[in-house]
Structures are given as structure tokens and as C-alpha cells.
Amino acid sequence: MKKQSFLLGSFALVASANAFSHGMMSMMYPEDGAMMMSQAERVEMHFKAPVKLVSLKVVPEGGAPLPLSIDRSAPATEHIMVKLPQLTPNNYTVHWKTMGTDGHMMNGSYGFMQH
């Protein structure tokens, strides 16, 4: 039983270390759930380790993804910023995908409201 507990504990430590070493997001703008009273001019994400942006989509509720200019050839960085077009009042979902310097793919999404 002790061996099983040790193995399970060791696996949990390795899994959590891998999660943090692969560039987890540490900050975003607009923040998840934000109600933007002034125009959101950009999507900004900060990661704990350098990543390359693979994909970024900003999708209004009931609409198609917004046209964004993304430099996929940019070097890996901890800070990603992409300018947004003029937003109309709506709920928006940001879908992102990045790749760590070790080739590990990460993705996520979050939402905000533009008034």
C-alpha cells in the first residue's frame, strides 16, 4: 500500500511540474468575465515560459471569428499581444493555442463582454 501511495504521489508531482513548465498563462487582457465599458483594443496574454502563438480567434456570440493579424513566425515569448478591430457590444470568446519551446501544445479559451 505504501508503494502504491508513493507512486501515486510521485505521478502527481511530475504531472504538476509538467503543467507549470509548459508555459501556463499567468495574465490576460481583457480578463476572463470582464465587462469592458471602454473599447478593448487588444488581446494580451502573459505566460510563465516562452511560447509561440499557433492560433488566436476572437469570436462574437452568434458570429464568425474576427479578422486578426497574427505573426506566426514570431519567436517564442512570454508576452503575446494582438490588436483587435473595433468591437460592437456583444459577448466575445477568445480561443488561443500556443506551443512551448519543447513542442508541447497548449490551448484554452475565455470570455468577456464589450459594452
Side-chain angles (χ1 to χ4, degrees):
M1 188 65 157
K2 280 188 174 186
K3 185 176 180 180
Q4 188 177 24
S5 294
F6 174 77
L7 289 174
L8 184 59
S10 296
F11 175 76
L13 277 174
V14 169
S16 65
N18 282 339
F20 285 106
S21 69
H22 285 115
M24 300 298 287
M25 190 184 306
S26 63
M27 191 282 291
M28 66 193 75
Y29 174 86
E31 292 184 8
D32 188 23
M35 292 185 181
M36 304 298 293
M37 299 310 246
S38 59
Q39 185 65 217
E41 298 175 348
R42 68 193 184 284
V43 168
E44 192 171 349
M45 299 179 287
H46 293 263
F47 293 86
K48 294 182 180 179
V51 295
K52 286 188 67 93
L53 183 61
V54 174
S55 173
L56 181 69
K57 294 180 182 174
V58 178
V59 184
E61 186 175 349
L66 302 176
L68 301 175
S69 178
I70 298 171
D71 182 5
R72 289 184 178 84
S73 66
T77 181
E78 295 173 358
H79 176 234
I80 295 171
M81 187 180 78
V82 176
K83 291 186 179 195
L84 291 172
Q86 182 75 24
L87 301 179
T88 59
N90 202 341
N91 293 315
Y92 291 85
T93 303
V94 177
H95 301 279
W96 59 271
K97 183 185 280 188
T98 60
M99 182 174 63
T101 55
D102 63 355
H104 182 83
M105 299 296 281
M106 297 155 286
N107 63 64
S109 61
Y110 66 93
F112 67 94
M113 178 185 291
Q114 177 68 60
H115 284 277

